[in-house]
Amino acid sequence: MFEWVMGLSLVIVAISTLMYFYRLVKGPTVPDRIISLDAIGINLIGITAIFSIVMNTDAFLEVILLLGVLAFIGTVAFSKFLEKGEIIENDRDK
Amino acid sequence: MTEISKFIVGFLVLQGAFLSLAAAIGVLRLPDPYTRNHAASKSATLGVLSLLLGVFLYFWLLKGEINSKIILGIIFVFITSPVAGHLIMRAAYNIGIPLWKHSVQDDLKEKKRKESRE
């Protein structure tokens, strides 16, 4: 029963990742695509967490933290690029 | 004891998975980027938080080890995911993505027009 529930949750999270992927391909504006990429990163955290229960090991738990940091940094860089046109500004008087 | 722990862990993980599904359905069906971000950044965060709490309880109650990496992951996702949503939507408003056509009020537009006139 427990393994069955874990498998069902894995399938549900995979389906929701597919829905985000549809929005990533079709989405009419650029912020839509950034939102869905960010949410795919968040869903990958969840998939890794369920997978570490299924495999019954704690070896993948660093991956959770790492994916969280990387998704946040990527989103911040994208939104700064959209807003100001460059990610790291060099001029002081801008 | 083990069965109760398994029930709690299974419930938390299943709840997290269904919240992720609800967020994805919201991102598919809502009309403009602002409402889509409203669905994604709240529901997905709560879903993944519930999922990670389930995993933490699994390793604590059934394996007997307190894993601080999951706690750090929970805190980090809880802090950074709304901030990321805020940054994307501020960028989207500043590059001029229009609101949904049935929106009734836009106070920020008035303020920006007043600022640009000065």
Side-chain angles (χ1 to χ4, degrees), chain A residues 2 9 12 16 20 22-23 29 31-32 35 42-43 49-50 56-58 61-62 65 72 75-76 79 82-83, chain B residues 6 13-14 17 23-24 27-28 36 48 51 55 58-59 63 65 67 69 73 80 87-89 91-92 94-95:
Chain A
F2 187 69
S9 313
I12 290 171
S16 71
Y20 286 130
Y22 174 79
R23 180 53 72 192
T29 60
D32 278 324
I35 290 167
I42 297 280
N43 263 355
I50 304 176
N56 203 5
T57 173
D58 60 348
L61 297 179
E62 288 94 349
L65 208 51
F72 178 62
T75 309
V76 169
S79 59
L82 270 186
E83 199 167 1
Chain B
K6 277 188 177 179
V13 170
L14 203 59
V27 169
L28 270 193
R36 275 176 213 137
V48 134
L51 239 157
V55 176
Y58 174 78
F59 280 107
K63 310 266 286 184
E65 54 184 45
N67 211 313
K69 277 171 283 189
T80 58
L87 284 175
I88 299 170
M89 282 305 113
N94 283 338
I95 65 173

Side-chain angles (χ1 to χ4, degrees), chain B residues 3-60:
Chain B
E3 288 303 313
I4 299 174
S5 309
K6 277 188 177 179
F7 180 78
I8 294 173
V9 170
F11 179 77
L12 279 173
V13 170
L14 203 59
Q15 184 195 27
F18 272 111
L19 278 170
S20 293
L21 188 67
I25 291 174
V27 169
L28 270 193
R29 287 186 53 90
L30 286 171
D32 70 341
Y34 305 100
T35 47
R36 275 176 213 137
N37 180 56
H38 164 79
S41 72
K42 279 203 256 301
S43 268
T45 308
L46 187 61
V48 134
L49 249 55
S50 167
L51 239 157
L52 287 180
L53 192 63
V55 176
F56 174 71
L57 286 181
Y58 174 78
F59 280 107
W60 186 24

Side-chain angles (χ1 to χ4, degrees), chain A residues 14-82:
Chain A
I15 288 173
S16 71
T17 309
L18 271 182
M19 289 180 177
Y20 286 130
F21 192 74
Y22 174 79
R23 180 53 72 192
L24 176 69
V25 172
K26 187 175 172 287
T29 60
V30 180
D32 278 324
R33 299 194 164 101
I34 302 176
I35 290 167
S36 48
L37 267 182
D38 187 45
I40 283 174
I42 297 280
N43 263 355
L44 269 180
I45 296 175
I47 288 178
T48 313
I50 304 176
F51 199 68
S52 69
I53 288 186
V54 172
M55 298 299 282
N56 203 5
T57 173
D58 60 348
F60 301 136
L61 297 179
E62 288 94 349
V63 179
I64 293 173
L65 208 51
L66 208 58
L67 276 177
V69 174
L70 285 182
F72 178 62
I73 290 177
T75 309
V76 169
F78 267 129
S79 59
K80 199 165 177 194
F81 177 73
L82 270 186

